Amino acid sequence: MSPETTFRFILISNIVAIILSAIAGIGLEGSLPMELQTYLAWEAEQDVSTFLGMLMLTILALYIINVVGLWKFKPWAKKMYVVFTACSFIPLPLLGPTVMNAWEYMLYDIAILLEGALLVLLFVGPVANKFNPTFVECS
């Protein structure tokens, strides 16, 4: 498998792991103890401000654009992915308690590992050269 194909495989696998983690979180909520289910129900009832909702939609749209840019090896996508990754840590201390079932947590961990692999590939090896605008591939 070529390095470009490997990079794209990891990119898609990362997205699949994120989606499966969310599905596991929703689908297996009933497997949690009643106290945690009550907490999650209370958390879901909390109002999300319009501003915060619009911000989340904007971030999702930018993430999709970034994934397309990474797929096409665009130089701006590399920088954008690093910014996304760095900024994803900022709100974590503000979120409060996090409740996950085992499957959700496992898939989330896999997604984080794949994200780390993507970051390495963005800066090391032949895939990193694909994001260089002056890179010319000789066949």
Side-chain angles (χ1 to χ4, degrees), residues 29 32-42 98-100:
E29 188 175 311
L32 294 170
M34 189 54 69
E35 295 84 5
L36 295 178
Q37 290 182 42
T38 303
Y39 172 75
L40 288 175
W42 171 82
T98 302
V99 177
M100 292 183 180

Side-chain angles (χ1 to χ4, degrees), residues 36-75:
L36 295 178
Q37 290 182 42
T38 303
Y39 172 75
L40 288 175
W42 171 82
E43 195 176 53
E45 291 174 0
Q46 302 306 306
D47 286 335
V48 176
S49 70
T50 305
F51 171 75
L52 191 57
M54 293 302 291
L55 180 63
M56 290 166 48
L57 284 175
T58 303
I59 290 170
L60 178 62
L62 289 172
Y63 182 76
I64 292 169
I65 291 167
N66 188 222
V67 168
V68 171
L70 288 172
W71 186 269
K72 295 182 174 190
F73 300 103
K74 299 293 183 184

Side-chain angles (χ1 to χ4, degrees), residues 14-29 40 99-101 103-109 111:
N14 181 6
I15 294 167
V16 168
I18 291 168
I19 292 169
L20 289 176
S21 175
I23 290 171
I26 295 167
L28 298 173
E29 188 175 311
L40 288 175
V99 177
M100 292 183 180
N101 63 60
W103 282 96
E104 179 183 11
Y105 185 68
M106 178 190 70
L107 292 164
Y108 178 76
D109 269 359

